[in-house]
Amino acid sequence: MKFYIETYGCQMNVADSEVVASILIEHGFIHTKNIDEADIILVNTCSIRENAETRVRGRLKVFQQIKKQKPTIKIGVLGCMGERLKEELLKQEVMVDMVVGPDSYRLLPNTIHKLDVEKVVETTLSDEETYEEILPYRTESNGISAFVSITRGCQNFCSYCIVPYVRGAERSRSPESIIQEINGLKEQAFKEVTLIGQNVDSYRYNNFSFADLLELVARQFPALRIRFSTNHPKDMTDQLLRVVASYDNICKHIHLPVQSGSNKILKLMNRGYTREQYLQRIASIYKHIPDVAISTDIMVGFCDETLADHSQTLSLMKEVGYDFAFMFKYSERSGTYAAKHLNDNVPEKEKIRRLNEVIALQNELSYESKKHDVGKVFDVLVEGYSKKSKKQMMGRNSQNKVIVFDAHHNTCIGDVVKVKVESFTSATLIGKIYE
Ligand code: 5AD
Ligand code: SF4
């Protein structure tokens, strides 16, 4: 039986799809990238905002058409949206044969075999499952860079967020299993790993902290580039920043979601820090890692957000000078604290206006950030060819900025080359190989 898998949402979902592929292949299923060949279509889904679910429902309509042509095909919904809706999803989307939540992937081979007889829903969450001994099958990868999950779940309970409900309690993987997985990647000639978790700073295995883990990985794999995401302002330690500063192979990029610049809103969001504490974390990052790039997540239009609160967000963005940001408007998720107890009272039109304002400001900040890079020489890990031309290649610097440059005939994907930045566009730096 051949399976095809499509992934939506965050890096964690990318990593999970690779665990799913590994489990299925282990049980004799064959992976295909061609949907027309598939006997099973799997879609790994995201619930973080309403529009993430809308996108999945759009895809399900397309799969329904495929099923009309080929009625034996099975369709499975995996991940967060499956966990959130459970049986309800089978009622809403009649072509779906199976719903499997993020902690039930080991059951998949069995579940699929049951589908000829009945539809199946498996959505029990676990306090222990980390899939730690399963070596992910890198379906989504370019062969250069891979995600390695170090924790699962989340228990911060930000008042807007569905993740603790659909991904369950937080658990950490053993350092040994993480090292073993990275060893495998090194042997397959991968050049970069990103350690991922909903909140990497809350990684803890017995007395081993995230800073300890990062240092261990940096020492064991001096030839690999090491990234990590996502940090949490309430938990990120100076010890971690010292580790990042001490090892050349740890990339100088910190993703530190702020969400809002207003103390009133941060409190309503249950974020666990104030604007002042956040800015203190930023000051500490710049102090320890002067050549760092900082990115963030920002959400506009949360419950009771006034214009004064919104302008606090704008002023904080300027104060930090983010290199990059993911920006969203608040989307109420049923079951969360905010949905139950707060009022989603910023009108949609106003949310859009505030979002556009935040995006316009971030464009200016990103422009400034890139302007400062002109004339600098960076080590760039080559990831592939530029979208526009085969004569140009692209990669990233330590700060996670994309750089496009004219390829030399002997430049290969996976090489690290020195590139001098000469100009930039809205999204990329443009440079030349620097001898
Ligand atoms: N509405 C809008 N954005 C959200 N995020 C999380 N939950 C919601 C929601 N209900 C954003 C946050 C988070 C990122 C992953 O998604 O900014 O950091
Ligand atoms: Fe990832 Fe969160 Fe979306 Fe789940 S809801 S896929 S954890 S972003």
Side-chain angles (χ1 to χ4, degrees), residues 227-240:
R227 299 187 181 279
F228 52 90
S229 185
T230 299
N231 288 92
H232 197 303
K234 76 178 167 59
D235 298 318
M236 191 189 68
T237 63
D238 283 354
Q239 194 206 346
L240 175 76

Side-chain angles (χ1 to χ4, degrees), residues 268-295:
L268 286 175
M269 289 178 166
N270 191 33
R271 288 289 290 173
Y273 55 84
T274 61
R275 174 190 178 100
E276 293 72 28
Q277 285 165 331
Y278 182 89
L279 288 171
Q280 197 280 330
R281 296 287 71 216
I282 294 289
S284 195
I285 295 173
Y286 282 132
K287 186 181 104 195
H288 285 92
I289 319 165
D291 59 341
V292 75
I294 303 180
S295 57

